[in-house]
Amino acid sequence: MRDVGDVQDGDGGPQAAAGAVDEADREHPAAVASVERRVAEGALGPGAALPPVRRLADGLRVSPGTVATAYKELRQRGIVATRGRGGTVVAQASAVASPSPGGLAGLGLWASPSGVSADPGAAFAALPGARSHRSTPRLARLEEAVRDWLRPDGVPVEHVTFAHGALDLIGRLLSVELRPGDAVAMEDPGYHHLLDLVTALGLRMVPVAVADEGMRPDALRAALRVGVRAVVCSPRAQNPYGGCFSAARRDALVEILQDEPEVLVVENDHASSVAAPPLWSLTSGGLSRWVHVRTVSKFLGTDPQWAAAACDSVTPARHDGRMLLTSGWVSHLLQETVHGLMTDDGTRAQEAYVLRRETLRKELGGRGIDAHGASGMNLWVPVRDESAVVNGLRSYGWWVAAGARFRLASEPGVRISVAELEPADAVRLASDFAAVLGEGEPEATYGG
């Protein structure tokens, strides 16, 4: 049997791989396994093209049905995607994990800043004995700590619940409240894992453009007109654009949402206090259906997979009822650990994020490069050619994220995660960024 890596693209492009197959259509699992292996090993990256069905079948001396069946299974499993006349390509958010490129400064993925995450050791050492999880799914003292955490920001705290992280909670809520085919208003550009989650649930995304103050009211109003049943947004540290609600923007959005009492509003305050700007929460505006979500990963580290939510009176029962059918509850051991660590208010992390973000933004601005990031851990830099910028920066030793995974209808850009970028390195990164833009667009001041 031959490997599809031996089949050259007919247009002289890069080699593509789909697997070892023979002449029998029942051999398509080998093709599927080969693609998965090559994606997992990084030989086929997001967007890499696979040969057309007939060309690949001819090259491997198998029937077109064998290749077509393999491609169909790969699409169903989320490993590849079909782009019409663009052919079959590796999905931007493939269901197969691939390694991060070695030898590069990783500024494409978020990581907690060095030296600012809390140490869970002391909390583990003080854990008490077992309790009844069914009768007490949430520890009372952690519930009160969450209320104390939210109350100063004006979030109503009568009803709270816990989950295994923000994505876990949001995914469960959307699966309970909506049905496949329903429309959800999503930030554009928005957090790629949320976009992937909504797609996986079979929901239809309606893009809502964002700016430095978060969701644009005109774009939200347009989304509501087409019948969205939920709105997912970030009040600050918006990922990847970095926007944050002002008081005026919050009021404008609330005024629009008050006319849609059946629409569920999911406010994902993932960075909470370490985002730096104050919270102007939609939940303080008297909405009928709402949930405010927070996690601790941005200042306690990524291991505590825990999230808290304050909700309207209906939402907790629906969420918790579905949780009972799966994991049942959030581990008491984890709850005790989070409670013990929450005495660290995250100030060190907040200061680190602000310094690193603002240092890089200043250095980029000094070179005529526009960068958005009013809060949080990322900068969004508009560019004309994402691939050229990403690949150009790799040649200088930097790894940033192409904006394609974050965008629905918005203009191209790249996301730089600054959590691991030491301020002393910002000058070199900005200089290299300017050099890449100059190499690709010699007449342009910057790529936006």
Side-chain angles (χ1 to χ4, degrees):
M1 298 182 185
R2 300 177 65 197
D3 191 299
V4 179
D6 298 329
V7 180
Q8 185 76 20
D9 183 80
D11 296 326
Q15 290 182 335
V21 295
D22 64 16
E23 295 181 5
D25 287 352
R26 61 184 175 81
E27 294 294 333
H28 81 269
V32 173
S34 182
V35 170
E36 288 189 73
R37 183 180 67 253
R38 288 176 175 269
V39 173
E41 293 172 350
L44 285 174
L50 277 68
V53 169
R54 193 165 297 279
R55 180 185 304 155
L56 180 57
D58 291 343
L60 296 181
R61 298 186 295 276
V62 299
S63 73
T66 296
V67 178
T69 301
Y71 279 15
K72 179 180 179 181
E73 181 173 336
L74 289 164
R75 286 195 300 272
Q76 291 173 337
R77 294 175 60 184
I79 298 170
V80 304
T82 300
R83 292 182 175 174
R85 293 182 179 180
T88 300
V89 300
V90 177
Q92 290 292 332
S94 175
V96 179
S98 58
S100 300
L104 303 178
L107 306 178
L109 300 174
W110 179 84
S112 55
S114 304
V116 302
S117 297
D119 180 4
F124 274 111
L127 290 177
R131 300 182 181 84
S132 169
H133 293 80
R134 289 280 181 177
S135 62
T136 312
R138 293 181 297 276
L139 300 183
R141 61 180 183 149
L142 183 54
E143 281 191 339
E144 287 309 306
V146 167
R147 290 188 170 95
D148 291 342
W149 188 22
L150 299 174
R151 192 179 291 112
D153 290 323
V155 177
V157 295
E158 182 177 358
H159 306 284
V160 299
T161 191
F162 302 158
H164 305 95
L167 288 173
D168 174 68
L169 191 148
I170 294 172
R172 189 174 293 111
L173 281 175
L174 294 179
S175 67
V176 170
E177 300 279 348
L178 280 66
R179 295 293 178 267
D182 285 345
V184 183
M186 302 294 293
E187 295 170 324
D188 184 24
Y191 182 41
H192 59 91
H193 286 310
L194 269 176
L195 302 181
D196 298 341
L197 175 61
V198 171
T199 299
L201 293 173
L203 303 173
R204 180 165 53 90
M205 291 185 290
V206 178
V208 179
V210 299
D212 290 333
E213 292 183 70
M215 272 189 166
R216 288 172 40 187
D218 58 332
L220 176 60
R221 187 177 289 108
L224 291 168
R225 279 200 295 266
V226 302
V228 301
R229 294 197 54 205
V231 176
V232 181
C233 62
S234 302
R236 51 187 173 180
Q238 194 274 343
N239 188 351
Y241 203 86
C244 55
F245 291 165
S246 63
R249 176 59 54 88
R250 185 272 312 273
D251 292 346
L253 296 175
V254 166
E255 183 178 358
I256 294 169
L257 291 166
Q258 284 176 335
D259 292 333
E260 304 288 344
E262 298 304 314
V263 172
L264 176 66
V265 178
V266 180
E267 186 174 74
N268 182 19
D269 191 24
H270 66 100
S272 62
S273 57
V274 301
L279 174 68
W280 297 101
S281 176
L282 301 175
T283 67
S284 61
L287 302 179
S288 298
R289 298 299 318 284
W290 59 271
V291 56
H292 177 89
V293 187
R294 284 193 185 179
T295 68
V296 295
S297 60
K298 301 303 184 291
F299 56 93
L300 298 186
T302 54
D303 272 348
Q305 287 290 303
W306 175 87
C311 321
D312 63 74
S313 59
V314 174
T315 300
R318 294 181 179 179
H319 171 273
D320 294 354
R322 178 62 61 89
M323 179 178 273
L324 284 173
L325 299 176
T326 54
S327 59
W329 56 80
V330 175
S331 160
H332 278 182
L333 183 145
L334 176 58
Q335 292 186 50
E336 290 283 6
T337 302
V338 170
H339 182 270
L341 295 174
M342 282 184 71
T343 54
D344 182 340
D345 64 7
T347 301
R348 290 178 298 147
Q350 175 180 313
E351 293 172 350
Y353 289 137
V354 171
L355 176 61
R356 296 174 189 193
R357 184 185 70 243
E358 292 304 314
T359 300
L360 179 58
R361 186 158 67 157
K362 178 180 178 181
E363 292 296 334
L364 290 171
R367 292 164 174 79
I369 302 172
D370 187 25
H372 299 276
S375 62
M377 309 88 183
N378 304 297
L379 289 181
W380 178 262
V381 185
V383 298
R384 292 193 179 96
D385 188 335
E386 294 176 359
S387 296
V389 172
V390 170
N391 292 330
L393 286 173
R394 283 191 180 192
S395 69
Y396 284 92
W398 303 104
W399 179 32
V400 303
R405 288 195 65 188
F406 305 88
R407 297 187 292 108
L408 297 174
S410 56
E411 296 298 318
V414 296
R415 187 193 73 169
I416 305 175
S417 180
V418 300
E420 288 293 302
L421 180 68
E422 295 293 343
D425 294 327
V427 175
R428 182 168 65 88
L429 174 56
S431 177
D432 292 343
F433 204 118
V436 168
L437 294 179
E439 292 165 0
E441 299 169 328
E443 297 181 359
T445 303
Y446 65 93

